[in-house]
């Protein structure tokens, strides 16, 4: 049994209108590829996070599809043009149907 | 008229089996959001790269969907588990139907 994955997100809380900000995310997850065998020679079933979605005020901004060759604890960053204040929603989708969600506010002044 | 976007890719040429390597990519592109106006008040039409696909030996590894809030000259990196030698193909898809493609070899010893 493994612990529930915990996502971490880093971004500045405030930005100027038009500023480019970097959003950095990381989620602790084994990203089991489905190609490894256990000590008895049995295939260890695939279990990865297959999708990451970043939305701002309900609109998608950035999405990633991850395949089994992506390494454990997937890191994802992207650069965003800040225009207005609002809320980011970050969602990670697991092969097992679980979703891990975090929310971060951004104030544009 | 703008110049043809030129993609840049950085990754090591050789890796050990099981090694985690970082692949860094950048493409020069204006990423025009479709929300700006020109000096005469006309909307400047949207023209962004909307998709990035990284494949290794023909299999997708990482894909990204970019939306208009992504900044110009989009940078994209990801971490890859090296298992066998082969060839990466990186493809950027433009709103105007253009595709920009680069190929990089990786030797696993």
């Amino acid at each position: 049994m493994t612990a529930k994955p915990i996502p971490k997100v880093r971004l500045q809380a405030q930005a100027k209108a038009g500023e480019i900000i970097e959003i950095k995310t990381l989620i602790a997850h084994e990203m089991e590829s489905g190609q490894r065998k256990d000590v008895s020679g049995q295939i260890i079933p695939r279990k990865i996070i297959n999708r990451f979605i970043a939305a701002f005020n309900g609109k998608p901004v950035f999405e990633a599809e991850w395949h089994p060759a992506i390494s454990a604890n997937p890191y994802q960053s992207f650069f965003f043009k800040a225009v207005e204040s609002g809320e980011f929603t970050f969602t990670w989708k697991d092969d097992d149907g679980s979703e891990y969600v975090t929310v971060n506010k951004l104030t544009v002044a």
Side-chain angles (χ1 to χ4, degrees), chain A:
Chain A
M1 204 174 115
T2 51
K4 185 172 183 292
I6 297 167
K8 285 184 195 170
V9 174
R10 275 206 190 176
L11 68 117
Q12 60 201 65
Q14 303 197 331
K16 291 175 190 162
E19 189 177 344
I20 306 295
I21 65 170
E22 184 172 15
I23 288 104
K24 297 176 179 178
T25 76
L26 182 77
I27 189 162
H29 193 282
E30 67 265 38
M31 297 290 276
E32 186 60 58
S33 70
Q35 285 158 358
R36 296 195 312 143
K37 290 178 180 174
D38 65 18
V39 287
S40 63
Q42 295 293 108
I43 291 280
I44 304 171
R46 170 181 149 156
K47 185 178 182 298
I48 70 169
I49 295 180
N50 56 62
R51 197 162 183 87
F52 167 74
I53 301 159
F56 187 71
N57 288 343
K59 283 188 191 171
V61 169
F62 175 87
E63 298 173 64
E65 282 173 49
W66 292 332
H67 296 272
I70 296 296
S71 66
N73 308 322
Y75 172 80
Q76 184 70 66
S77 71
F78 62 94
F79 291 88
F80 174 85
K81 274 182 283 195
V83 175
E84 58 182 357
S85 297
E87 203 170 72
F88 283 102
T89 307
F90 301 102
T91 306
W92 290 259
K93 297 193 176 192
D94 197 305
D95 274 347
D96 72 4
S98 301
E99 289 193 6
Y100 317 112
V101 179
T102 60
V103 170
N104 289 68
K105 283 190 196 300
L106 175 70
T107 301
V108 173

